[in-house]
């Protein structure tokens, strides 16, 4: 019995969401009194023994360069074989964009119950129950997983990365790699920006900003704080900002430490995507804006007057 | 070419979320039901666009659910589906649902299977991947763009911090999200025509569920907002730094 954590990579680096999954998986393992091992597919440039820091004992690496490109069908086949070779009974992965492609395939392949979007550790007092978000952030469901093999896909930003002292043993794992049916043509990453799904701080703008030409203050504050930028659906629909910045029920669902909303009314569909944020700040000129009910801090005021002063204050803070 | 579009029924986005029976059941009284937005706006509309380009395309719809789902199925037919199948089963287990779809898809020999990115009630994002695995087909998740050249599809899919373009052979399973297509409103002709389009009822295949819902809960209520006067924004910055400790 062991917990096997699938650790994925981008541009040769281990993704932060996978470090969270590794930390979570190690905690699940210690709760059950078993070992936590990691599985890495491909040939990332980093020293994988550092996963020991997250509580990983052994890192199994399927060292085939073709696995650096992602094909869900191919990877699921490789992971499934690794699960049986390592005798894992629980598979942990991040429910990030990669995990959303892999978790369901693995579940169907291995007949293993899947919790897609776990937000907490298992409760084993009556069976094996794990909490996940449902109704687009408006509620939680506790999922009972009765199958012998279980898959837990952890929501990004729901579990802190553990930094310990350990060093993991890296071992090569020989697994047959079937040919990929999909072919990567090109990758288009937005340069110099923090991916929204991984950001700890997010500055977001709504229709209250009047037009795309006024996003300078959102971008400046984001830059100062090392934050990502987001927007409401109304803004993305008006093509003021790119679609990938749209958060809410029908856009991205995020849970940063800080969600700073400027000129956004806080419609229920918008809140659904952001209400798991740890701290919510709202700047809106309408004291009746529904967003204030979901906020921790707020300023009732005109964004065009308030934001430049906030930027000045942050500059002072950063300088001190 | 045959396209299978998986559609599901979800509570309206403004529905009040509450639970009963010791927090084991979602309160459905007063809830408006809609076609899951991702299924409707992106998966179905993209299929309709493919049919508009190539009239030999047929669009089949599949829904797993009870008789009260027929209203949303008729809406999808009104938008542009050609025929529909409803598998007579209610379940909250993704694998059980995916197994029904896979069983129907095996018989129908579809070239393309489209799902929405996720349902807005259970947010599993699981059906597409499971169906693909059960049918041993490639799967492109969270696609924002889909183009077809013969029997090869070119797709954009979301990755952390951007997108990648991939090529995939048919038959193929795709989960669809924003970017794929634009929301449409059914017109009168579509609504009238939908009444007579075939809606076939099928009994489910037997499947062992892999999960079940033990209970629900609502998130804890917020303590209330701390308002800072508009002329003292530096106080907000101080609070975020010293009290909330997030910057
Ligand atoms: C099925 C469905 C799904 C949806 N999904 C989403 C979703 O995923 N995400 C999403 O965001 N929305 C979604 N919506 C839309 C949602 O209902 C709202 O219409 C949208 O969020 C409004 O965007 P907004 O707050 O930017 O604009 P508005 O509602 O127009 O609000 C603008 C706000 O700015 C304030 N303001 C104006 N001027 C200033 C100023 N000078 N200074 C400060 N404040 C100012 C106003 O007081 C107001 O509160 C969905 C709707 C439906 C029906």
């Amino acid at each position: 019995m062991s917990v096997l954590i699938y650790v994925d990579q981008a541009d040769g680096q281990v993704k932060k969401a996978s470090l969270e999954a590794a930390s979570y998986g190690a905690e699940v393992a210690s709760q059950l009194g078993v070992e936590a091992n990691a599985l890495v597919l491909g040939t990332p440039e980093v020293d994988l023994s550092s996963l020991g820091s997250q509580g990983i004992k052994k890192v199994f690496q399927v060292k085939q360069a073709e696995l650096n490109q992602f094909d869900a069908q191919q990877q699921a086949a490789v992971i499934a074989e690794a699960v049986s070779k390592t005798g894992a009974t629980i598979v942990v992965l991040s429910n990030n964009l990669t995990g959303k492609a892999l978790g369901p395939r693995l579940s169907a392949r291995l007949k293993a119950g899947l919790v897609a979007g776990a937000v907490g550790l298992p409760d084993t007092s009556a069976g094996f129950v794990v909490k996940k978000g449902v109704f687009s952030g408006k509620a939680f469901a506790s999922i009972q997983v009765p199958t012998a093999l279980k898959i837990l896909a952890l929501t990004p930003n729901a579990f802190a990365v553990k930094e310990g002292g350990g060093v993991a043993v890296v071992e090569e794992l020989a697994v047959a790699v079937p040919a990929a049916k999909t072919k990567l043509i090109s990758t288009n990453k937005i340069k110099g920006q923090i991916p929204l799904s991984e950001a700890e701080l997010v500055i977001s703008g709504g229709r209250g900003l009047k037009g795309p030409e006024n996003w300078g203050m959102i971008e400046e504050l984001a830059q100062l704080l090392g934050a990502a930028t987001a927007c409401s659906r109304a803004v993305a629909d008006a093509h003021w900002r790119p679609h990938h910045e749209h958060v809410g029920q029908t856009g991205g669902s995020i849970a940063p430490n800080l969600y700073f909303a400027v000129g956004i009314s806080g419609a229920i569909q918008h809140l659904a995507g952001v209400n798991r944020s740890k701290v919510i700040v709202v700047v809106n000129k309408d004291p009746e804006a529904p967003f204030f009910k979901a906020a921790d801090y707020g300023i009732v005021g005109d964004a065009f007057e308030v934001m430049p002063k906030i930027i000045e204050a942050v500059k002072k803070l950063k300088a001190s | 070419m045959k396209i299978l579009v998986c559609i599901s029924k979800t509570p309206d986005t403004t529905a009040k979320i509450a639970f009963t029976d010791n927090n084991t059941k979602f309160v459905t009284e007063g809830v408006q039901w809609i076609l899951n937005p991702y299924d409707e706006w992106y998966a179905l509309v993209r299929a309709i666009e493919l049919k508009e380009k190539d009239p030999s395309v047929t669009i089949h719809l599949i829904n797993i659910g009870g008789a009260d789902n027929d209203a949303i199925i008729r809406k999808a037919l009104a938008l542009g589906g050609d025929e529909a199948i409803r598998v007579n089963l209610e379940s909250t287990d993704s694998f059980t649902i995916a197994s029904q779809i896979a069983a129907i898809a095996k018989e129908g020999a579809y070239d393309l299977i489209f799902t929405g990115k996720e349902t807005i009630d259970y947010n599993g994002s699981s059906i597409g991947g499971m169906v693909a695995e059960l049918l041993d087909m490639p799967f492109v998740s969270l696609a924002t763009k889909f183009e077809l050249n013969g029997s090869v599809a070119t797709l954009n899919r979301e990755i952390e911090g951007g997108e990648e373009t991939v090529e995939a052979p048919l038959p193929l399973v795709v989960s669809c999200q924003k970017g794929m297509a634009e929301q449409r409103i059914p017109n009168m002709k579509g609504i009238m025509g939908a009444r007579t389009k075939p809606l076939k009822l099928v009994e489910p295949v037997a499947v062992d569920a892999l999960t079940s819902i033990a209970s629900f809960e609502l998130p804890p209520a917020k303590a209330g907002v701390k308002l800072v006067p508009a002329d003292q924004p530096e106080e907000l910055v101080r609070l975020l730094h010293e009290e909330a400790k997030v910057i």
Side-chain angles (χ1 to χ4, degrees):
Chain A
M1 266 177 58
S2 63
V3 174
L4 187 66
I5 299 115
Y6 168 82
V7 169
D8 73 328
Q9 49 155 331
D11 307 323
Q13 306 294 315
V14 169
K15 287 186 197 165
K16 176 175 162 252
S18 276
L19 294 179
E20 294 168 5
S23 308
Y24 172 83
E27 190 66 39
V28 173
S30 90
Q31 196 182 315
L32 303 174
V34 300
E35 233 172 55
N37 301 319
L39 175 67
V40 174
L41 307 189
T43 54
E45 294 140 19
V46 283
D47 176 11
L48 295 172
S49 67
S50 71
L51 284 166
S53 183
Q54 279 74 52
I56 300 296
K57 273 259 158 358
K58 243 186 218 166
V59 180
F60 295 104
Q61 184 179 13
V62 182
K63 238 179 173 168
Q64 303 222 26
E66 61 173 307
L67 290 168
N68 293 337
Q69 287 182 7
F70 182 75
D71 176 272
Q73 192 173 19
Q74 179 187 49
Q75 296 229 337
V78 172
I79 298 168
E81 200 181 323
V83 167
S84 86
K85 282 205 163 150
T86 61
T89 49
I90 297 181
V91 179
V92 170
L93 72 173
S94 171
N95 200 42
N96 62 3
L97 299 163
T98 311
K100 282 181 180 170
L102 282 177
R105 283 205 86 113
L106 280 172
S107 169
R109 189 179 184 100
L110 300 167
K111 303 287 175 284
L114 164 69
V115 180
V119 294
L121 291 163
D123 175 355
T124 51
S125 60
F128 190 97
V129 175
V130 181
K131 217 198 285 187
K132 77 171 284 258
V134 288
F135 293 103
S136 304
K138 293 173 205 157
F140 296 101
S142 292
I143 308 293
Q144 177 74 255
V145 189
T147 50
L149 186 62
K150 307 172 207 305
I151 304 174
L152 309 180
L154 176 72
T155 295
N157 273 331
F159 200 87
V161 175
K162 201 169 92 183
E163 302 284 358
V167 175
V169 178
V170 183
E171 208 174 89
E172 215 174 304
L173 189 71
V175 173
V177 178
K181 286 192 200 153
T182 65
K183 194 169 100 198
L184 179 69
I185 305 296
S186 62
T187 305
N188 183 11
K189 286 215 180 182
I190 302 120
K191 285 201 187 70
Q193 266 186 27
I194 301 158
L196 197 47
S197 53
E198 294 191 357
E200 286 176 4
L201 309 174
V202 175
I203 317 293
S204 186
R207 200 147 55 183
L209 290 177
K210 311 280 190 278
E213 66 280 5
N214 296 325
W215 245 260
M217 51 195 192
I218 298 290
E219 281 171 343
E220 188 176 0
L221 183 59
Q223 189 110 47
L224 281 170
L225 292 172
T229 51
C231 70
S232 70
R233 176 174 168 216
V235 163
D237 281 355
H239 301 290
W240 295 358
R241 300 294 293 175
H243 281 327
H244 67 260
E245 283 198 2
H246 160 195
V247 291
Q249 185 142 22
T250 50
S253 171
I254 55 173
N257 293 341
L258 172 67
Y259 184 74
F260 196 116
V262 186
I264 302 177
S265 58
I268 189 163
Q269 298 95 350
H270 185 84
L271 295 180
V274 302
N275 60 7
R276 288 183 298 113
S277 308
K278 276 150 210 126
V279 174
I280 293 179
V281 177
V282 170
V283 175
N284 195 305
K285 70 174 185 190
D286 174 9
E288 301 298 320
F291 220 149
F292 284 117
K293 290 204 179 68
D296 299 284
Y297 299 95
I299 291 184
V300 178
D302 186 332
F304 295 92
E305 287 165 21
V306 172
M307 290 304 289
K309 290 188 199 149
I310 289 180
I311 288 168
E312 278 321 303
V314 170
K315 276 187 187 157
K316 262 195 212 138
L317 175 74
K318 292 282 165 189
S320 69
Chain B
M1 192 177 66
K2 282 169 79 180
I3 307 178
L4 184 66
V5 180
C6 307
I7 57 173
S8 95
K9 187 186 78 171
T10 55
D12 174 62
T13 52
T14 58
K16 181 171 163 26
I17 307 300
F19 304 102
T20 179
D21 282 10
N22 227 347
N23 281 327
T24 56
K25 256 210 201 108
F26 173 55
V27 176
T28 54
E29 276 91 66
V31 170
Q32 296 267 3
W33 298 94
I34 58 169
L35 248 173
N36 181 43
Y38 293 109
D39 306 348
E40 177 188 337
W41 303 350
Y42 310 123
L44 178 57
V45 176
R46 189 67 191 112
I48 294 168
E49 288 172 354
L50 293 172
K51 186 182 165 83
E52 285 166 351
K53 239 175 115 185
D54 172 4
S56 72
V57 168
T58 54
I59 302 172
H60 296 224
L61 308 170
I62 181 164
N63 170 261
I64 318 300
D68 51 348
N69 285 18
D70 286 353
I72 62 111
I73 299 174
R74 290 284 173 208
K75 181 180 179 195
L77 288 169
L79 278 162
D82 292 306
E83 50 188 272
I85 297 168
R86 176 166 65 79
V87 180
N88 194 22
L89 173 76
E90 303 207 27
S91 169
T92 56
D93 176 50
S94 304
F95 181 71
T96 304
I97 307 255
S99 301
Q100 308 303 327
I101 297 172
I104 299 288
K106 252 179 215 153
E107 305 226 328
Y110 296 96
D111 303 285
L112 276 171
I113 301 177
F114 281 176
T115 73
K117 163 187 160 179
E118 63 186 40
T119 59
I120 61 170
D121 48 6
Y122 294 109
N123 309 111
S125 208
S126 298
I127 300 297
M130 287 181 174
V131 169
E133 188 64 34
L134 290 168
L135 297 172
D136 197 24
M137 283 184 192
F139 171 47
V140 177
S141 58
L142 308 178
T144 57
K145 195 171 174 214
F146 176 96
E147 298 296 340
L148 194 61
N149 323 293
S151 63
V152 178
T154 307
L155 304 99
N156 284 4
R157 67 180 277 269
E158 189 186 353
I159 56 171
E160 273 81 20
E163 291 192 345
E164 63 184 25
T165 304
V166 295
E167 254 178 31
L170 304 193
L172 170 70
V173 183
V174 181
S175 78
C176 308
Q177 64 163 333
K178 191 160 190 159
M180 277 287 257
E182 298 278 345
Q183 183 182 3
R184 291 186 181 187
I185 312 286
N187 59 28
M188 213 47 203
K189 188 165 157 259
I191 294 168
M192 300 305 282
R195 292 189 191 157
T196 53
K197 285 181 179 170
L199 195 175
K200 195 167 115 194
L201 185 63
V202 174
E203 288 307 315
V205 292
V207 180
D208 289 331
L210 302 180
T211 60
S212 64
I213 295 179
S215 64
F216 292 101
E217 66 193 87
L218 293 171
K222 282 258 174 189
V225 59
K226 201 179 247 187
L227 287 178
V228 175
D231 56 358
Q232 294 168 25
E234 58 290 342
E235 173 62 7
L236 175 69
V237 173
R238 188 192 69 78
L239 285 168
L240 292 179
H241 181 58
E242 290 174 14
E243 189 177 87
K245 297 192 169 64
V246 287
I247 64 172

